[in-house]
């Protein structure tokens, strides 16, 4: 961040003018990029309060002429499964985030600390699976889960996502940076490996766990494809799939679709604003979203 | 973009949140928003009309414009993530290098092209690679917005795979497509690696 102050032309008569031009230029860039990235969301929020006629009127209006907050109630009435779908989304997301945090750090701890034959090979194989596009394994995985009788149950999502290579990788990187002395004292006291992991290492790993938790919440809450493939009846959809299906049926109810979209963004937006620092760290350290 | 976000300006926090929003919003939501913006009576057409181009294109319904529209959606949705990677890289570029450049009389534009870009080569490679891999696997936008249509103008490999495997229950064909997709992506990544992945020398 300090370099911003350094990137300045050497002291000359024109310095002030150059600086003014630069600042203006920066602000223009800011505004342009913000308009490009942010306006669609502003439009969405505003349109979610418009009447169904106004939301598709031409020429479009910016502010709603009459505010219709009841759209947010109407979306639950027009799609009777919507409440259930919001709940499904939350339930599975929270469950999977919990599983990811626990199992990924457990596996990662083994990779980072325990000595066992074939450890490095296993770690390489585990990392290798991240390179394979999920499309390659899609069909065999579906057949497997189908034979297990898990299609159209939450089990289908749990068995394939309760632990992820990405999570293991992130936690392993972190555990490797924790000094061994910390646990050695605990192990000497006779709490064993698991005791050391649970009581000493995990509390230290809070920032990494938060980063993983936020990223995994985002992935599972936003998950669309897995639900599309494995869920068959509307009462088993999550909010994303529910929204997509809703628009398939009610082509022109854009006011309700927009209200539903706002509801779908809100949880992840709140979590993101609260944990912004950890989220950015997580993406930055792994180079993955 | 990242170069701008790195600088100290008022409201930086607000800008960061605003700019990363596309990156945290789900593909379903962003696709729905853009479908609405792309309507013949939508904002995009209104904006075009405002600057004098009164065409009223049916962006997603017309064979000629459907794929560009989907591409635009995808660029918009991934720009924020890639910016994040560049931002992290920018913070690693050592400040004294710029200082030295200043003393040598290099202006900001020249510094950007001669110092910033070469030092960020690994990240540029990563972004190009991730972008390519991501685009090969484009699915959600196609499924939600156009279902591969109109007249297969937006048919992607992954959409074909899903359609064959899960709509027409032609699972063997779908698996074969998956393997081919993997080989193609792998090959392209290798080629990119050869041309782009050069370590910067200080």
């Amino acid at each position: 961040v300090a370099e911003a102050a350094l990137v300045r032309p050497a002291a000359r008569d024109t310095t002030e003018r150059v600086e003014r031009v630069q600042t203006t230029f920066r602000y223009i860039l800011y505004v342009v990029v913000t308009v490009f990235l942010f306006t669609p969301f502003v439009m969405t929020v505003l349109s979610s309060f418009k009447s169904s006629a106004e939301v598709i009127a031409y020429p479009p209006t910016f502010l709603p002429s009459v505010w219709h907050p009841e759209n947010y109630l109407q979306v639950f009435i027009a799609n009777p499964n919507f409440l259930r779908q919001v709940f499904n989304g939350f339930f599975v997301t929270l469950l999977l985030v919990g599983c990811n945090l626990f199992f990924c750090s457990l596996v990662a701890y083994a990779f980072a600390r325990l000595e066992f034959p074939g450890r490095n090979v296993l770690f390489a194989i585990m990392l290798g699976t991240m390179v394979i596009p999920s499309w390659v394994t899609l069909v065999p995985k579906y057949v497997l889960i189908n034979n297990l009788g898990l299609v159209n149950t939450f089990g289908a999502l749990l068995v394939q996502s309760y632990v992820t290579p990405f999570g293991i990788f992130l936690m392993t990187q972190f555990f490797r940076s924790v000094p061994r002395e910390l646990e050695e004292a605990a192990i000497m006291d006779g709490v064993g490996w698991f005791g050391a992991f649970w009581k000493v290492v995990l509390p230290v790993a809070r920032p990494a766990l938060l980063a993983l938790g936020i990223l995994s919440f985002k992935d599972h809450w936003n998950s669309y494809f897995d639900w599309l493939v494995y869920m068959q009846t509307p009462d088993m959809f999550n909010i994303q799939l529910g929204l997509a299906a809703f628009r398939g049926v009610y082509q022109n109810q854009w006011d309700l679709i927009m209200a539903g979209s706002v509801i779908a963004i809100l949880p992840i937006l709140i979590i993101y604003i609260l944990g912004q620092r950890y989220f950015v760290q997580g993406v930055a350290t792994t180079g993955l979203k | 973009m990242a170069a701008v976000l790195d600088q100290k300006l008022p409201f930086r926090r607000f800008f960061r949140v605003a700019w990363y929003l596309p990156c945290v919003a789900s593909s379903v939501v962003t696709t729905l928003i853009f479908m609405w913006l792309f309507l013949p009576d939508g904002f995009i057409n209104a904006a075009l009309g405002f600057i004098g181009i009164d065409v009223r294109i049916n962006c997603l319904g017309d064979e000629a414009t459907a794929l560009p529209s989907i591409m635009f959606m995808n660029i918009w949705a991934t720009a924020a993530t890639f910016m994040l990677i560049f931002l992290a890289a920018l913070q690693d570029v050592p400040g004294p290098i710029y200082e030295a450049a200043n003393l040598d009389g290099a202006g900001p534009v020249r510094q950007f092209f001669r110092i910033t870009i070469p030092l960020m080569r690994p990240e540029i490679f990563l972004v190009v690679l991730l972008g390519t891999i991501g685009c090969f696997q484009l699915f959600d936008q196609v499924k939600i917005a156009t279902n591969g249509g109109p007249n297969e103008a937006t048919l992607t490999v992954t959409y074909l795979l899903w359609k064959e495997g899960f709509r027409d229950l032609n699972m063997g064909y779908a698996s074969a497509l998956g393997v081919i997709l993997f080989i193609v992506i792998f090959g392209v990544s290798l080629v990119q690696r050869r041309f782009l992945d050069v370590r910067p020398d200080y």
Side-chain angles (χ1 to χ4, degrees):
Chain A
V1 186
E3 51 272 34
L6 298 168
V7 189
R8 264 172 206 159
R12 269 179 252 140
D13 312 338
T14 50
T15 306
E16 208 174 296
R17 234 192 66 207
V18 170
E19 245 172 58
R20 215 174 325 135
V21 171
Q22 273 188 351
T23 316
T24 323
F25 182 67
R26 257 179 236 163
Y27 271 106
I28 292 172
L29 252 174
Y30 256 64
V31 171
V32 169
V33 176
T34 309
V35 165
F36 179 67
L37 292 178
F38 196 48
T39 338
F41 290 106
V42 177
M43 297 288 187
T44 306
V45 174
L46 289 175
S47 313
S48 68
F49 289 105
K50 290 177 184 170
S51 70
S52 54
E54 193 185 357
V55 75
I56 48 171
Y58 192 92
T61 53
F62 186 66
L63 285 171
S65 53
V66 184
W67 291 75
H68 289 275
E70 71 271 15
N71 282 348
Y72 284 87
L73 201 66
Q74 197 61 39
V75 68
F76 288 96
I77 298 167
N79 177 0
N81 283 310
F82 198 63
L83 191 62
R84 170 85 203 224
Q85 289 163 350
V86 173
F87 171 78
N88 286 350
F90 267 115
F91 179 70
V92 174
T93 302
L94 292 178
L95 203 61
L96 279 175
V97 169
C99 286
N100 282 174
L101 289 180
F102 181 71
F103 290 109
C104 291
S105 43
L106 207 57
V107 178
Y109 188 66
F111 274 132
R113 283 293 189 270
L114 305 184
E115 301 284 343
F116 56 91
R119 182 183 73 169
N120 293 338
V121 178
L122 275 178
F123 191 68
I125 293 175
M126 191 275 302
L127 281 186
T129 61
M130 284 169 75
V131 185
I132 302 171
S134 58
W135 292 92
V136 181
T137 53
L138 179 64
V139 172
K141 205 165 67 181
Y142 181 84
V143 173
L144 195 68
I145 287 176
N146 192 22
N147 287 342
L148 287 169
L150 290 177
V151 168
N152 207 27
T153 68
F154 294 148
L157 305 166
L158 289 181
V159 292
Q160 58 178 318
S161 314
Y162 75 97
V163 60
T164 60
F166 167 74
I168 298 174
F169 176 63
L170 191 117
M171 294 312 291
T172 309
Q173 294 298 92
F174 184 83
F175 287 147
R176 279 183 180 155
S177 71
V178 176
R180 271 166 193 270
E181 289 75 26
L182 267 179
E183 312 130 69
E184 267 159 17
I187 289 168
M188 296 260 257
D189 289 344
V191 291
W193 279 112
F194 188 78
F197 165 74
W198 192 249
K199 293 206 185 98
V200 181
V201 180
L202 273 195
V204 181
R206 241 181 68 118
L209 287 173
L210 276 170
L212 177 61
I214 292 169
L215 289 173
S216 119
F217 185 94
K218 182 197 136 228
D219 282 348
H220 298 309
W221 175 256
N222 286 348
S223 173
Y224 165 72
F225 185 71
D226 288 343
W227 292 74
L228 174 73
V229 169
Y230 292 102
M231 299 303 167
Q232 292 163 342
T233 51
D235 61 313
M236 296 301 284
F237 289 178
N238 69 348
I239 182 168
Q240 314 291 345
L241 189 54
L243 262 183
F246 180 77
R247 127 79 218 174
V249 182
Y250 300 92
Q251 302 272 342
N252 283 317
Q253 292 280 359
W254 283 103
D255 51 332
L256 302 188
I257 296 171
M258 292 293 145
S261 300
V262 173
I263 297 174
I265 294 182
L266 264 185
I268 183 68
L269 181 66
I270 291 168
I271 291 215
Y272 168 63
I273 291 177
L274 291 180
Q276 202 197 136
R277 198 154 50 95
Y278 301 102
F279 176 77
V280 175
Q281 262 172 11
V283 177
T285 48
T286 58
L288 291 163
K289 64 166 169 166
Chain B
M1 279 160 81
V4 182
L5 253 198
D6 195 35
Q7 281 156 357
K8 274 186 185 160
L9 276 182
F11 308 116
R12 200 168 69 147
R13 245 181 100 84
F14 162 76
F15 280 118
R16 285 205 173 183
V17 171
W19 288 20
Y20 297 156
L21 247 177
C23 159
V24 293
S26 73
S27 57
V28 175
V29 168
T30 55
T31 309
L32 287 174
I33 294 175
F34 270 87
M35 285 171 72
W36 172 71
L37 291 174
F38 278 136
L39 284 176
D41 289 341
F43 268 92
I44 308 258
N45 276 312
L48 285 178
F50 186 73
I51 54 169
I53 315 167
D54 198 9
V55 277
R56 306 285 287 273
I57 326 163
N58 184 2
C59 299
L60 289 163
D62 193 306
E63 267 178 64
T65 50
L67 192 59
S69 304
I70 297 256
M71 280 155 59
F72 183 82
M73 274 185 208
N74 200 41
I75 292 170
W76 181 84
T78 48
T81 311
F82 293 150
M83 190 177 65
L84 215 62
I85 297 175
F86 282 137
L87 188 64
L90 267 186
Q91 282 163 352
D92 285 344
V93 176
I97 297 194
Y98 289 111
E99 240 173 308
N102 263 334
L103 290 177
D104 290 343
V109 176
R110 188 132 165 216
Q111 287 182 4
F112 180 73
F113 283 106
R114 289 297 165 99
I115 299 173
T116 314
I117 297 250
L119 283 180
M120 290 195 359
R121 270 191 91 129
E123 284 75 21
I124 293 174
F125 166 67
L126 181 72
V127 165
V128 170
L129 188 72
L130 288 179
T132 320
I133 294 176
C135 286
F136 269 117
Q137 301 183 49
L138 188 66
F139 176 84
D140 294 2
Q141 282 95 333
V142 174
K143 171 77 182 76
I144 298 160
T146 61
N147 269 318
N151 202 8
E152 306 202 331
T154 56
L155 187 70
T156 58
V157 184
T158 49
Y159 184 77
L160 184 66
L161 196 157
W162 177 82
K163 197 183 81 168
E164 286 292 338
F166 295 93
R167 222 184 57 189
D168 307 340
L169 295 175
N170 211 344
M171 293 220 164
Y173 184 84
S175 309
L177 270 180
V179 175
I180 293 173
L181 179 69
F182 177 49
I183 294 169
V184 171
I185 291 179
F186 197 72
V188 171
S189 314
L190 284 183
V191 173
Q192 281 181 347
R193 205 189 161 89
R194 253 197 88 100
F195 285 107
L196 282 169
D197 193 19
V198 187
R199 297 276 125 200
D201 31 73
Y202 286 73

